[in-house]
Amino acid sequence: CMTILSLTGICLAQNAPASSSIHLAQNGDTSYVIALASDAIPAEKTAAQQFQNYFQQITGAAIDIKPETDVAANAPQILIGAGDRVKVLLPQQDWNTLGSDGIVIKTVGSNLILAGGRPRGTLYAVFQFLEDVAGCRWWTPTENTIPHKSTFTLPPMAITYVPPFAYREHFTNGVRYNPEFATILRENGHYEQQTTEWGGHYTMLGFVHTFSQLLPPEKYFKEHPDWYSDPSNGNLPCT
């Protein structure tokens, strides 16, 4: 079957696998555990902690984080990060196509998988799930709406998504000076402040005004004066 799911303003086809719904929480309790990839990078550890935090706010149920090697294969689990167990459960998934930010949100049997490309994909998968499936909303760095439902039933899911724009940034102080909020908004640009724990960000050479850095006049001007405009200013290089 197919349903349409909106991910940050983009409509995606969700091809649901043939399996029944799963109950992540019932009446404020859960039998699930977060199984963290055994080779988890710092951003994936943050992703697990963020899921744990918001899951308890939503359902009232405390949920443990454990290395996947400490979780029985047949236990109800939310697998975070593309660890060995996830790769066994999703043998057809091409992880190389996800780049830095692509996400995977899938159910396999009674398991929920939240994973993605490195370094940011798993973080984005967690926040995409919390936003589109759980109904969380983050309005500003300090204001959000977190729904409360003691029973959290999840339909079958099979989402793989890669952002069409690799670089995402806008210039507001709430984003530039708040790494968590920038990550929640899936922004990753040059002027963001994310550490490796929040997935890092792109860094460009000088960002703008980089002509003389890319084409240093002391190296190229003698043979290519035509590359450097403004003859009235002694052909000083453009910036």
Side-chain angles (χ1 to χ4, degrees):
C1 63
M2 178 175 286
T3 57
I4 299 298
L5 182 67
S6 175
L7 295 187
T8 47
I10 300 170
C11 287
L12 300 178
Q14 176 186 316
N15 295 299
S19 62
S20 59
S21 298
I22 59 178
H23 302 288
L24 297 182
Q26 290 183 288
N27 300 318
D29 194 15
T30 185
S31 60
Y32 277 77
V33 62
I34 296 171
L36 180 62
S38 55
D39 64 342
I41 62 174
E44 290 163 352
K45 294 176 182 178
T46 300
Q49 293 162 358
Q50 291 296 299
F51 187 91
Q52 179 188 51
N53 172 36
Y54 285 106
F55 185 81
Q56 184 164 9
Q57 289 187 53
I58 294 166
T59 65
I63 186 169
D64 291 333
I65 300 172
K66 296 182 179 181
E68 63 181 356
T69 51
D70 292 349
V71 180
N74 61 352
Q77 57 199 275
I78 299 160
L79 296 111
I80 292 188
D84 293 337
R85 185 169 296 173
V86 165
K87 291 176 180 177
V88 170
L89 291 171
L90 299 177
Q92 304 303 316
Q93 177 65 50
D94 186 349
W95 300 97
N96 293 324
T97 63
L98 298 176
S100 301
D101 298 353
I103 67 172
V104 172
I105 302 175
K106 294 188 177 183
T107 52
V108 178
S110 61
N111 301 321
L112 168 63
I113 296 169
L114 301 173
R118 286 181 168 172
R120 290 176 289 275
T122 297
L123 266 170
Y124 290 168
V126 164
F127 283 117
Q128 203 73 63
F129 177 88
L130 291 171
E131 182 177 327
D132 288 311
V133 182
C136 298
R137 295 292 183 269
W138 293 269
W139 312 113
T140 72
T142 59
E143 300 298 325
N144 58 42
T145 299
I146 308 300
H148 300 289
K149 44 188 174 184
S150 59
T151 295
F152 192 164
T153 300
L154 184 64
M157 304 189 72
I159 296 168
T160 301
Y161 172 72
V162 178
F165 292 98
Y167 183 102
R168 302 172 301 278
E169 181 174 42
H170 79 281
F171 294 95
T172 61
N173 288 343
V175 174
R176 287 184 61 190
Y177 302 117
N178 191 297
E180 178 178 347
F181 190 55
T183 300
I184 289 171
L185 296 186
R186 272 76 94 194
E187 299 213 8
N188 61 9
H190 178 85
Y191 281 104
E192 310 298 1
Q193 303 291 321
Q194 288 103 325
T195 61
T196 55
E197 288 76 15
W198 288 100
H201 60 95
Y202 284 106
T203 300
M204 293 186 175
L205 174 65
F207 186 66
V208 294
H209 306 297
T210 56
F211 187 90
S212 61
Q213 293 175 268
L214 296 169
L215 298 172
E218 62 273 14
K219 182 176 181 179
Y220 295 108
F221 181 78
K222 184 176 180 179
E223 294 185 10
H224 302 282
D226 53 308
W227 291 358
Y228 302 88
S229 61
D230 195 10
S232 64
N233 193 30
N235 275 333
L236 292 176
C238 296
T239 59

